[in-house]
Amino acid sequence: MIIIRIAEVDGGAAVTVRGHSERAEKGKDIVCAAISALANALAKAAGWEQAGIADDDGDVVYITSRSIGFKTVLKAVSATMEEIAGQYPEDVKVVRS
């Protein structure tokens, strides 16, 4: 399962994406591909070339920013992540804190 945590921290926002949906083999999983594309869009909004990968398996992505632009993009991207979670509740969970 993919767990997406979205939190407000220090006047900014932080997003952590952990796990895999395992709906299909790695590289062919449409749910993982969709969430990965959204995570990379957030990373670009934060001014990064790609999301920060926190482990060797590419299993944890952590993105944080204080910019207003990032927060604006986060609203749209997190709404889309929640739509995906609604369509694939056994594969994706969004947690806000």
Side-chain angles (χ1 to χ4, degrees):
M1 175 175 265
I2 300 169
I3 307 291
I4 302 161
R5 296 190 186 280
I6 302 169
E8 291 195 23
V9 285
D10 297 328
V15 179
T16 304
V17 180
R18 176 185 296 269
H20 297 281
S21 77
E22 298 180 18
R23 180 164 286 276
E25 65 184 83
K26 228 174 188 176
K28 296 184 179 183
D29 189 319
I30 62 168
V31 177
C32 279
I35 298 300
S36 293
L38 292 167
N40 276 297
L42 281 176
K44 289 188 185 314
W48 302 356
E49 281 300 307
Q50 77 174 57
I53 307 297
D55 76 12
D56 294 337
D57 202 21
D59 195 29
V60 180
V61 178
Y62 183 74
I63 304 163
T64 184
S65 178
R66 291 185 178 150
S67 80
I68 293 170
F70 176 78
K71 290 180 185 178
T72 301
V73 173
L74 177 58
K75 284 181 185 178
V77 167
S78 65
T80 305
M81 287 175 164
E82 288 174 340
E83 286 177 17
I84 294 168
Q87 293 171 349
Y88 298 95
E90 65 281 355
D91 296 312
V92 181
K93 181 177 180 180
V94 178
V95 178
R96 291 183 177 270
S97 57

